[in-house]
């Protein structure tokens, strides 16, 4: 497993360099979800694929940018599901973006996720690694090396509110709940990038990130294997919760397709408990 983490560190340096030096425009193609691909998406995907070709314990790769499974090593143990550059459309305005990795031992689903990692490319390059053995580890690049900064723990109650999705398409009960958080003094923190927003909540002690089902996207927008489950492990290991709109743990979901999506909510315990109650009362 440590070999995978070291490979992710080398990938992070290469993607960070690409963000700083390469063309930020669209390449004219779409990914498996029908979204327009930026040249940085394609480049980042290539960097990750090439890096894991030399890691024999990796059985297969499943990318947000590709359809299907890419077999790597027949005798490998782990399948890595990844979003090569989450929030890539923010790069041209110089906002933080990130890479997300879920490491699965067996058929990819919540119960087989054994570790996850994400990288933040911003004013500083940072890495968070989560396993089931303890608190998530927070690293930062200092003098070209990833240096351990601290373990991450969420408070029982936070102060930040990051509500995703187009507001005019929210359910009325979801809007009422989000408004209630603002009425209680929560601060709006939403960049449009999953990685920087969830990272901020983690490092600031807590709060809520929500991406509900909406009238235009009833099953949510965020993908279970590449985005949702890796962050669910981070949040649970940090002492928080990660659930869907039915109150189910995201790590109990079983996708029927590699690109399945789900409504998702990540946060410290008080915010998730309040959300669960509000949804139950509305239904």
């Amino acid at each position: 497993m440590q070999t995978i983490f070291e490979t992710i560190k080398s990938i992070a340096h290469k993607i960070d360099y690409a963000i700083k030096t390469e063309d930020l425009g669209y390449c004219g193609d779409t990914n498996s979800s029908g979204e327009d691909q930026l040249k940085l998406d394609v480049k980042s995907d290539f960097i990750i694929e090439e890096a894991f070709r030399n890691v024999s314990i990796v059985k297969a790769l499943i990318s947000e940018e590709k359809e299907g499974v890419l077999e790597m090593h027949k005798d490998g143990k782990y399948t890595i599901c990844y979003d090569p550059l989450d929030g890539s459309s923010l790069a041209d305005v110089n906002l933080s973006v990130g890479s997300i990795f879920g490491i699965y031992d067996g058929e990819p689903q919540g119960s087989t996720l054994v570790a996850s990692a994400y990288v933040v490319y911003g004013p500083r390059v940072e890495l968070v690694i989560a396993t089931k053995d303890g608190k998530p580890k927070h690293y930062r690049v200092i003098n070209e090396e990833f240096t351990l900064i601290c373990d991450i723990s969420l408070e029982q109650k936070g102060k930040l509110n990051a509500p995703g999705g187009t507001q005019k398409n929210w359910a009325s009960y979801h809007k009422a709940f989000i408004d209630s958080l603002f009425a209680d003094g929560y601060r709006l923190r939403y960049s449009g990038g999953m990685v920087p927003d969830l990272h901020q909540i983690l490092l600031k002690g807590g709060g809520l990130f929500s991406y509900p089902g909406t009238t235009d996207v009833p099953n949510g927008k965020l993908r279970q294997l590449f985005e949702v489950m890796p962050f669910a492990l981070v949040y649970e290991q940090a002492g928080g919760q990660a659930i869907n709109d039915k109150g189910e743990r995201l790590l109990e979901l079983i996708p029927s397709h590699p690109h399945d999506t789900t409504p998702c909510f990540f946060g410290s315990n008080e915010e998730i408990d309040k959300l669960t109650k509000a949804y139950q009362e509305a239904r």
Side-chain angles (χ1 to χ4, degrees), residues 194 222-224 226-232 250 262 264 266:
M194 185 184 190
L222 299 177
R223 296 159 187 82
Q224 295 182 33
F226 315 116
E227 299 165 319
V228 171
M229 290 177 184
F231 266 108
L250 296 172
T262 181
C264 54
F266 304 84

Side-chain angles (χ1 to χ4, degrees), residues 4-5 10 14 51 57 72 82 86 137 143 158 178 185 214 241:
I4 292 175
F5 296 148
S10 71
K14 292 176 181 177
I57 59 173
M72 299 296 284
Y82 64 94
D86 173 77
K137 305 292 185 182
N143 296 325
I178 294 298
T214 55
Q241 299 180 55

Side-chain angles (χ1 to χ4, degrees), residues 45-53 61 66 70 72 82:
D45 190 53
F46 175 79
I47 288 170
I48 293 169
E49 180 182 327
E50 289 301 297
F52 282 118
R53 285 193 184 280
L61 298 178
K66 292 191 181 76
L70 179 62
M72 299 296 284
Y82 64 94

